[in-house]
Amino acid sequence: MAPGIGLLFQDPSACGRAPSLCFLNRAREKINDPRFLQTKAVEGAQIKYTWRELEPGKDEYDFSAIRDDLNVLRSKGKKLFVQLQDASFDPKVVLVPKYLINDPAYHGGAEKQYVIENDDESTAVPAGWVARRWDPAVQARFQKLLLALGREFDGKIEGINLPETAIEFGETGGLFPGGFTPAVYRDSVLTNMLGLKRAFTNSVAIQYANFMPGEWLPEKNRGYLRTVYQSAWEFGVGVGGPDLLPYKPGQMAHAYPLISQSAGKVATGIAVQEGNYEYVNLKTGKRVTIPELLKFALDELRVKYIFWCIQEPFYSQELIPYLQSQELE
């Protein structure tokens, strides 16, 4: 995904009923962009920080980037939402700390995930890396990171989210990494959600949950995704996910109804990501508009937060003008 800024909407009088943030991805310098700062409907920025940068050595934490961004945003009357990233979508990029890779106790620390055409695993091509979330040794290290982050930032940042649950190792088991099964992975997601909530009792804590390995709804329903959502309600963890794509069948069969059902139970959010502005609305047959995205997020998904990416030219030519026009009404 190209660098972006996450816009946060919180003021119910500006842009409907959901807080808007700019999803800046890794483009931290964009917090000084005049368009971002001058748009009152944008309440803050969602910025991605990687596990590798936050823990450059075992038990050696470097939160200076978060600290600096928080101070800048606060000085401008904006809020910070942290996305903690442990997975990449580039086979050349590994986002876990090097000690996890080098120490045999962590079994490599991360695993390749794949793009697989038409469920034919012979076509599998590496498409990135994901932390061994299901590995107890790796998970223990991740939990320590969450606690360290919570000690410094809980109650100071607007919120924090864990990245999407979707990963791809195929279905047959031939590409499964050591120790992985879909059921074990489901349990690891629940454990990390609990760890997130323990670390952040005051700031909003959200798990992005879009798809789960081992099932495809409605044909192959193992209850994995629903269990994640039901557990989030029990734990008090917010839910949401990437990609605002109105009426797209895959999303409509998976996360979208569960996000809607979560409204009023826990905090909810949806991320407008790279490519979403170019999506063709299935109801109109035309490229989706900013008002259509906003209406779907508010009326169908009933989200509390919308994270808007800064993909050009849509950010400058469509999103910002629309948000600023709403401020005048």
Side-chain angles (χ1 to χ4, degrees):
M1 179 181 298
I5 181 169
L7 299 171
L8 168 62
F9 294 125
Q10 184 79 38
D11 183 359
S13 66
C15 285
R17 305 181 297 277
S20 290
L21 294 93
C22 282
F23 172 57
L24 301 181
N25 204 322
R26 303 274 294 144
R28 296 173 50 226
E29 71 281 359
K30 293 291 186 179
I31 59 176
N32 294 303
D33 180 0
R35 294 166 299 180
F36 164 67
L37 294 174
Q38 294 167 9
T39 304
K40 295 179 181 179
V42 176
E43 291 222 353
Q46 182 194 41
I47 302 177
K48 183 186 295 183
Y49 306 90
T50 71
W51 186 357
R52 175 171 286 200
E53 71 175 305
L54 297 178
E55 191 182 9
K58 188 174 183 179
D59 292 321
E60 298 173 5
Y61 298 116
D62 181 359
F63 300 157
S64 58
I66 300 177
R67 201 174 298 123
D68 292 347
D69 293 342
L70 178 60
N71 289 337
V72 170
L73 288 165
R74 277 180 160 180
S75 73
K76 305 296 184 181
K78 301 286 189 183
K79 301 172 182 178
L80 175 63
F81 215 104
V82 169
Q83 178 162 318
L84 180 55
Q85 195 72 21
D86 67 349
S88 77
F89 303 94
D90 183 335
K92 298 179 181 178
V93 177
V94 183
L95 298 183
V96 303
K98 291 182 179 179
Y99 77 85
L100 291 180
I101 299 170
N102 296 330
D103 188 334
Y106 305 108
H107 313 106
E111 299 287 350
K112 290 179 182 177
Q113 53 179 334
Y114 301 88
V115 169
I116 300 172
E117 297 293 336
N118 301 316
D119 295 325
D120 180 359
E121 294 181 16
S122 68
T123 70
V125 175
W129 293 81
V130 61
R132 289 177 52 85
R133 298 167 179 171
W134 58 92
D135 186 322
V138 175
Q139 191 172 80
R141 298 305 310 171
F142 191 70
Q143 300 278 327
K144 287 198 70 172
L145 171 64
L146 291 174
L147 289 171
L149 286 166
R151 281 193 294 270
E152 179 162 352
F153 297 110
D154 184 33
K156 298 178 182 178
I157 59 174
E158 175 69 13
I160 180 171
N161 71 277
L162 301 184
E164 64 188 76
T165 54
I167 56 175
E168 182 60 88
F169 300 132
E171 296 290 331
T172 68
L175 297 174
F176 285 6
F180 173 88
T181 69
V184 167
Y185 180 72
R186 173 206 58 204
D187 293 345
S188 73
V189 172
L190 306 188
T191 300
N192 279 340
M193 286 198 301
L194 266 176
L196 180 66
K197 188 60 180 179
R198 290 194 189 104
F200 287 89
T201 58
N202 297 299
S203 298
V204 174
I206 289 179
Q207 170 70 63
Y208 276 1
N210 50 350
F211 302 95
M212 289 288 285
E215 69 177 5
W216 185 259
L217 307 178
E219 298 87 358
K220 189 178 180 181
N221 187 353
R222 301 255 175 91
Y224 297 148
L225 188 62
R226 175 161 289 277
T227 297
V228 169
Y229 276 80
Q230 290 175 334
S231 298
W233 303 340
E234 178 185 344
F235 302 158
V237 173
V239 289
D243 295 314
L244 182 53
L245 302 168
Y247 308 108
K248 188 169 184 180
Q251 278 72 12
M252 294 294 289
H254 289 81
Y256 284 179
L258 292 167
I259 292 172
S260 181
Q261 292 168 31
S262 301
K265 296 183 177 74
V266 294
T268 55
I270 192 73
V272 182
Q273 301 214 320
E274 190 91 4
N276 290 182
Y277 296 124
E278 301 165 87
Y279 173 72
V280 174
N281 188 332
L282 297 181
K283 288 203 169 183
T284 67
K286 299 178 181 179
R287 183 171 68 81
V288 72
T289 65
I290 300 300
E292 288 169 354
L293 289 171
L294 185 60
K295 179 177 175 58
F296 186 83
L298 296 178
D299 295 348
E300 300 292 335
L301 303 183
R302 303 191 295 159
V303 295
K304 180 179 180 182
Y305 294 96
I306 305 176
F307 304 101
W308 301 90
C309 79
I310 56 170
Q311 181 186 359
E312 296 290 6
F314 312 104
Y315 173 69
S316 297
Q317 296 182 10
E318 297 181 22
L319 179 64
I320 291 298
Y322 178 80
L323 298 183
Q324 291 179 344
S325 73
Q326 298 302 294
E327 296 171 359
L328 301 175
E329 294 183 359

